[in-house]
Amino acid sequence: MKIEEEGQPQKHECCKSLNAIEDALYVIGGKWKLRITLALIDGSKRFNELQRLLQTISPRVLSHELKELELNGFVQRKVYATEMPVVVEYQATEYSLTLKKVLDALVEWGTMHKEKIKEISAPSLTHP
Amino acid sequence: MKIEEEGQPQKHECCKSLNAIEDALYVIGGKWKLRITLALIDGSKRFNELQRLLQTISPRVLSHELKELELNGFVQRKVYATEMPVVVEYQATEYSLTLKKVLDALVEWGTMHKEKIKEISAPSLTHP
Protein backbone atom coordinates (compact mmCIF):
# COMPACT_ATOMS: atom_id res chain seq x y z
CA MET A 1 0.00 0.00 0.00
CA LYS A 2 1.37 3.40 -0.93
CA ILE A 3 1.95 5.81 1.92
CA GLU A 4 -0.49 8.40 0.59
CA GLU A 5 -3.20 5.78 0.35
CA GLU A 6 -2.76 4.53 3.87
CA GLY A 7 -6.01 4.59 5.79
CA GLN A 8 -7.80 6.21 2.86
CA PRO A 9 -10.89 3.96 2.65
CA GLN A 10 -11.64 4.35 6.37
CA LYS A 11 -11.03 8.09 6.20
CA HIS A 12 -13.31 8.31 3.20
CA GLU A 13 -16.14 6.59 5.09
CA CYS A 14 -15.61 8.87 8.06
CA CYS A 15 -15.65 11.94 5.75
CA LYS A 16 -18.90 10.81 4.17
CA SER A 17 -20.50 10.43 7.59
CA LEU A 18 -19.11 13.80 8.71
CA ASN A 19 -20.58 15.46 5.64
CA ALA A 20 -23.93 13.77 6.21
CA ILE A 21 -24.02 15.05 9.79
CA GLU A 22 -23.08 18.51 8.55
CA ASP A 23 -25.95 18.37 6.04
CA ALA A 24 -28.34 17.29 8.78
CA LEU A 25 -27.26 19.92 11.30
CA TYR A 26 -27.40 22.64 8.64
CA VAL A 27 -31.16 22.10 8.44
CA ILE A 28 -32.16 20.83 11.89
CA GLY A 29 -29.28 22.05 14.06
CA GLY A 30 -29.55 24.77 16.66
CA LYS A 31 -31.38 25.04 19.92
CA TRP A 32 -34.98 24.94 18.79
CA LYS A 33 -35.76 23.24 15.46
CA LEU A 34 -35.88 19.65 16.71
CA ARG A 35 -37.83 20.66 19.80
CA ILE A 36 -40.43 22.57 17.77
CA THR A 37 -40.70 19.63 15.35
CA LEU A 38 -41.18 17.19 18.23
CA ALA A 39 -43.87 19.39 19.77
CA LEU A 40 -45.73 19.59 16.45
CA ILE A 41 -45.44 15.86 15.68
CA ASP A 42 -47.17 15.44 19.04
CA GLY A 43 -50.06 17.50 17.62
CA SER A 44 -50.81 20.75 15.76
CA LYS A 45 -50.44 23.83 17.92
CA ARG A 46 -51.05 27.56 17.86
CA PHE A 47 -48.19 30.01 18.26
CA ASN A 48 -48.97 30.75 21.90
CA GLU A 49 -49.31 27.09 22.77
CA LEU A 50 -45.88 26.40 21.29
CA GLN A 51 -44.37 29.31 23.14
CA ARG A 52 -45.81 28.10 26.46
CA LEU A 53 -44.55 24.59 25.81
CA LEU A 54 -41.03 25.68 24.88
CA GLN A 55 -40.94 28.07 27.84
CA THR A 56 -37.75 30.04 27.30
CA ILE A 57 -38.16 30.84 23.59
CA SER A 58 -38.91 34.46 22.68
CA PRO A 59 -41.76 35.22 20.24
CA ARG A 60 -39.25 36.68 17.75
CA VAL A 61 -37.09 33.55 17.77
CA LEU A 62 -40.10 31.21 17.64
CA SER A 63 -41.48 33.11 14.65
CA HIS A 64 -38.10 32.95 12.88
CA GLU A 65 -37.65 29.23 13.58
CA LEU A 66 -41.18 28.41 12.40
CA LYS A 67 -40.55 30.27 9.15
CA GLU A 68 -37.34 28.33 8.55
CA LEU A 69 -39.02 25.02 9.39
CA GLU A 70 -41.83 25.93 6.98
CA LEU A 71 -39.32 26.83 4.25
CA ASN A 72 -37.58 23.48 4.69
CA GLY A 73 -40.83 21.55 4.54
CA PHE A 74 -41.13 20.40 8.14
CA VAL A 75 -44.00 22.62 9.22
CA GLN A 76 -47.20 23.76 7.58
CA ARG A 77 -49.00 26.94 8.62
CA LYS A 78 -52.75 26.45 8.55
CA VAL A 79 -55.07 29.45 8.57
CA TYR A 80 -58.67 28.79 9.55
CA ALA A 81 -60.42 31.90 8.27
CA THR A 82 -63.90 30.50 8.93
CA GLU A 83 -63.50 31.34 12.59
CA MET A 84 -63.29 34.86 13.99
CA PRO A 85 -60.69 35.83 15.01
CA VAL A 86 -58.80 33.90 12.34
CA VAL A 87 -57.09 30.85 13.84
CA VAL A 88 -53.52 30.06 12.80
CA GLU A 89 -52.16 26.65 13.61
CA TYR A 90 -48.82 25.02 12.92
CA GLN A 91 -48.72 21.37 12.00
CA ALA A 92 -45.97 18.86 11.33
CA THR A 93 -45.71 17.76 7.69
CA GLU A 94 -45.22 14.20 6.53
CA TYR A 95 -41.59 15.03 5.82
CA SER A 96 -41.00 15.97 9.44
CA LEU A 97 -41.85 12.35 10.32
CA THR A 98 -38.60 11.31 8.59
CA LEU A 99 -36.93 12.84 11.66
CA LYS A 100 -38.60 10.35 14.00
CA LYS A 101 -35.51 8.17 14.36
CA VAL A 102 -33.29 11.18 15.12
CA LEU A 103 -35.79 12.50 17.66
CA ASP A 104 -36.25 9.10 19.32
CA ALA A 105 -32.50 8.59 19.58
CA LEU A 106 -32.03 12.04 21.13
CA VAL A 107 -34.90 11.57 23.60
CA GLU A 108 -33.52 8.18 24.61
CA TRP A 109 -29.98 9.51 24.99
CA GLY A 110 -31.06 12.65 26.86
CA THR A 111 -33.06 10.54 29.32
CA MET A 112 -30.18 8.13 29.88
CA HIS A 113 -27.66 10.97 30.27
CA LYS A 114 -29.79 12.78 32.85
CA GLU A 115 -30.11 9.57 34.88
CA LYS A 116 -26.35 9.15 34.76
CA ILE A 117 -25.76 12.72 35.89
CA LYS A 118 -28.21 12.19 38.76
CA GLU A 119 -26.35 9.04 39.82
CA ILE A 120 -23.02 10.85 39.73
CA SER A 121 -24.24 13.87 41.68
CA ALA A 122 -26.35 11.92 44.22
CA PRO A 123 -23.46 10.96 46.59
CA SER A 124 -22.23 14.54 46.76
CA LEU A 125 -25.73 15.61 47.80
CA THR A 126 -25.78 13.18 50.72
CA HIS A 127 -22.23 14.20 51.73
CA PRO A 128 -22.08 17.94 51.11
CA MET B 1 -63.13 14.61 31.60
CA LYS B 2 -62.71 18.00 33.21
CA ILE B 3 -61.75 20.84 30.87
CA GLU B 4 -58.51 21.59 32.70
CA GLU B 5 -57.44 17.97 32.40
CA GLU B 6 -58.11 17.72 28.67
CA GLY B 7 -55.06 16.49 26.80
CA GLN B 8 -52.93 16.49 29.95
CA PRO B 9 -51.38 12.99 29.72
CA GLN B 10 -50.31 13.54 26.11
CA LYS B 11 -48.91 16.99 26.95
CA HIS B 12 -47.02 15.46 29.85
CA GLU B 13 -45.41 12.85 27.56
CA CYS B 14 -44.50 15.54 25.05
CA CYS B 15 -42.97 17.70 27.83
CA LYS B 16 -40.89 14.80 29.04
CA SER B 17 -39.54 14.21 25.54
CA LEU B 18 -38.91 17.94 25.06
CA ASN B 19 -36.95 18.05 28.31
CA ALA B 20 -34.94 14.98 27.29
CA ILE B 21 -34.03 16.60 23.97
CA GLU B 22 -33.09 19.79 25.83
CA ASP B 23 -30.85 17.75 28.15
CA ALA B 24 -29.23 16.06 25.16
CA LEU B 25 -28.66 19.24 23.15
CA TYR B 26 -27.27 20.99 26.22
CA VAL B 27 -24.34 18.56 26.15
CA ILE B 28 -23.99 17.56 22.50
CA GLY B 29 -25.70 20.46 20.71
CA GLY B 30 -23.94 23.01 18.56
CA LYS B 31 -22.08 22.81 15.31
CA TRP B 32 -19.12 20.65 16.25
CA LYS B 33 -19.50 18.29 19.20
CA LEU B 34 -21.20 15.43 17.37
CA ARG B 35 -18.86 15.76 14.40
CA ILE B 36 -15.76 15.67 16.59
CA THR B 37 -17.17 12.68 18.48
CA LEU B 38 -17.91 10.87 15.22
CA ALA B 39 -14.39 11.56 13.95
CA LEU B 40 -12.86 10.20 17.15
CA ILE B 41 -15.09 7.11 17.30
CA ASP B 42 -13.67 6.41 13.84
CA GLY B 43 -10.20 6.39 15.45
CA SER B 44 -7.96 8.41 17.78
CA LYS B 45 -6.55 11.55 16.19
CA ARG B 46 -4.10 14.34 16.80
CA PHE B 47 -5.25 17.95 16.98
CA ASN B 48 -4.03 18.77 13.48
CA GLU B 49 -5.61 15.67 11.99
CA LEU B 50 -8.94 16.63 13.50
CA GLN B 51 -8.63 20.15 12.22
CA ARG B 52 -7.88 18.95 8.69
CA LEU B 53 -10.82 16.56 8.80
CA LEU B 54 -13.29 19.15 10.07
CA GLN B 55 -11.99 21.68 7.55
CA THR B 56 -13.71 24.92 8.57
CA ILE B 57 -13.11 24.74 12.33
CA SER B 58 -10.64 27.24 13.82
CA PRO B 59 -7.93 26.00 16.21
CA ARG B 60 -9.41 28.10 19.00
CA VAL B 61 -12.89 26.61 18.57
CA LEU B 62 -11.55 23.06 18.18
CA SER B 63 -9.52 23.43 21.36
CA HIS B 64 -12.56 24.77 23.24
CA GLU B 65 -14.85 22.01 21.95
CA LEU B 66 -12.32 19.28 22.81
CA LYS B 67 -12.05 20.64 26.35
CA GLU B 68 -15.83 20.58 26.77
CA LEU B 69 -16.07 17.08 25.32
CA GLU B 70 -13.33 15.96 27.72
CA LEU B 71 -15.13 17.57 30.67
CA ASN B 72 -18.33 15.76 29.75
CA GLY B 73 -16.59 12.42 29.44
CA PHE B 74 -16.75 11.90 25.68
CA VAL B 75 -13.11 12.45 24.85
CA GLN B 76 -9.85 11.46 26.51
CA ARG B 77 -6.63 13.36 25.92
CA LYS B 78 -3.67 10.97 25.72
CA VAL B 79 -0.14 12.28 26.10
CA TYR B 80 2.66 10.02 24.86
CA ALA B 81 5.69 11.50 26.55
CA THR B 82 7.94 8.63 25.50
CA GLU B 83 8.25 10.17 22.04
CA MET B 84 9.95 13.45 21.25
CA PRO B 85 8.29 15.79 20.55
CA VAL B 86 5.55 14.71 22.94
CA VAL B 87 2.56 13.28 21.05
CA VAL B 88 -0.93 14.30 22.10
CA GLU B 89 -3.84 12.28 20.80
CA TYR B 90 -7.55 12.55 21.39
CA GLN B 91 -9.59 9.40 21.69
CA ALA B 92 -13.26 8.60 22.07
CA THR B 93 -14.24 7.23 25.48
CA GLU B 94 -16.56 4.31 26.06
CA TYR B 95 -19.27 6.79 27.08
CA SER B 96 -19.11 8.47 23.68
CA LEU B 97 -20.23 5.15 22.18
CA THR B 98 -23.62 5.68 23.85
CA LEU B 99 -24.10 8.35 21.16
CA LYS B 100 -23.86 5.77 18.38
CA LYS B 101 -27.63 5.61 17.79
CA VAL B 102 -27.90 9.42 17.66
CA LEU B 103 -24.96 9.63 15.26
CA ASP B 104 -26.27 6.83 13.03
CA ALA B 105 -29.72 8.41 12.86
CA LEU B 106 -28.23 11.80 11.93
CA VAL B 107 -25.92 10.32 9.28
CA GLU B 108 -28.83 8.37 7.79
CA TRP B 109 -31.14 11.39 7.81
CA GLY B 110 -28.49 13.76 6.43
CA THR B 111 -27.77 11.37 3.57
CA MET B 112 -31.45 10.94 2.76
CA HIS B 113 -32.09 14.70 2.96
CA LYS B 114 -29.22 15.54 0.62
CA GLU B 115 -30.53 13.03 -1.93
CA LYS B 116 -33.97 14.60 -1.68
CA ILE B 117 -32.57 18.11 -2.17
CA LYS B 118 -30.61 16.87 -5.21
CA GLU B 119 -33.79 15.38 -6.69
CA ILE B 120 -35.71 18.61 -6.14
CA SER B 121 -33.01 20.84 -7.59
CA ALA B 122 -32.13 18.57 -10.55
CA PRO B 123 -35.05 19.59 -12.85
CA SER B 124 -34.39 23.29 -12.34
CA LEU B 125 -30.79 22.72 -13.40
CA THR B 126 -31.87 21.18 -16.72
CA HIS B 127 -34.47 23.95 -17.23
CA PRO B 128 -32.84 27.10 -15.89
Side-chain angles (χ1 to χ4, degrees):
Chain A
M1 188 186 272
K2 287 182 211 160
I3 288 164
E4 63 264 38
E5 277 177 10
E6 206 175 335
Q8 281 298 87
Q10 197 189 5
K11 195 178 164 188
H12 182 64
E13 266 315 301
C14 172
C15 278
K16 266 172 67 180
S17 301
L18 278 174
N19 289 343
I21 287 202
E22 187 176 352
D23 292 333
L25 295 184
Y26 182 77
V27 194
I28 52 166
K31 198 175 168 185
W32 297 110
K33 291 204 175 60
L34 284 173
R35 286 153 80 180
I36 295 170
T37 306
L38 180 80
L40 293 180
I41 285 175
D42 179 62
S44 303
K45 287 177 182 62
R46 301 188 191 183
F47 190 92
N48 288 342
E49 275 180 276
L50 267 176
Q51 209 196 329
R52 259 198 310 276
L53 202 58
L54 298 166
Q55 293 175 355
T56 56
I57 198 166
S58 75
R60 206 175 62 87
V61 172
L62 178 54
S63 169
H64 175 81
E65 296 289 282
L66 281 168
K67 268 184 201 133
E68 286 203 345
L69 284 169
E70 209 185 330
L71 262 170
N72 287 308
F74 299 107
V75 167
Q76 203 172 5
R77 194 173 173 270
K78 289 269 185 183
V79 183
Y80 299 101
T82 48
E83 292 178 47
M84 284 304 280
V86 165
V87 171
V88 179
E89 231 182 38
Y90 296 88
Q91 68 179 215
T93 62
E94 211 170 305
Y95 191 57
S96 75
L97 300 179
T98 60
L99 286 168
K100 197 75 178 63
K101 218 189 256 184
V102 173
L103 291 166
D104 286 349
L106 275 171
V107 168
E108 194 185 316
W109 192 86
T111 309
M112 180 280 295
H113 181 70
K114 194 168 194 173
E115 281 303 312
K116 190 193 152 253
I117 296 297
K118 265 192 214 161
E119 276 168 32
I120 293 170
S121 51
S124 66
L125 284 174
T126 49
H127 308 288
Chain B
M1 189 187 271
K2 285 182 214 160
I3 288 163
E4 64 264 37
E5 277 179 12
E6 208 177 332
Q8 280 299 88
Q10 197 189 5
K11 194 176 164 190
H12 182 65
E13 265 316 303
C14 173
C15 279
K16 266 171 68 179
S17 302
L18 279 173
N19 289 344
I21 287 202
E22 186 175 353
D23 292 334
L25 295 183
Y26 182 77
V27 194
I28 53 167
K31 197 175 169 183
W32 298 110
K33 292 205 173 64
L34 284 173
R35 286 153 80 182
I36 296 170
T37 306
L38 180 80
L40 294 179
I41 286 176
D42 180 63
S44 302
K45 287 174 182 65
R46 299 187 193 184
F47 190 91
N48 289 343
E49 275 182 275
L50 267 176
Q51 211 197 328
R52 260 199 308 278
L53 200 60
L54 297 167
Q55 294 173 355
T56 55
I57 198 165
S58 74
R60 204 175 61 88
V61 172
L62 178 55
S63 168
H64 175 81
E65 296 289 282
L66 281 168
K67 268 184 201 134
E68 285 203 346
L69 284 168
E70 207 185 333
L71 262 170
N72 287 306
F74 300 106
V75 168
Q76 202 171 5
R77 193 172 173 270
K78 289 268 184 184
V79 183
Y80 299 100
T82 47
E83 293 177 48
M84 282 307 277
V86 166
V87 171
V88 179
E89 230 180 38
Y90 296 88
Q91 69 178 216
T93 61
E94 209 171 307
Y95 190 56
S96 75
L97 301 179
T98 59
L99 285 169
K100 197 75 178 63
K101 218 190 256 184
V102 172
L103 291 166
D104 286 348
L106 275 171
V107 168
E108 193 186 317
W109 191 86
T111 309
M112 180 280 297
H113 181 71
K114 195 169 194 173
E115 281 304 312
K116 189 193 154 253
I117 296 297
K118 267 192 211 158
E119 276 169 34
I120 292 171
S121 52
S124 65
L125 285 173
T126 49
H127 308 288

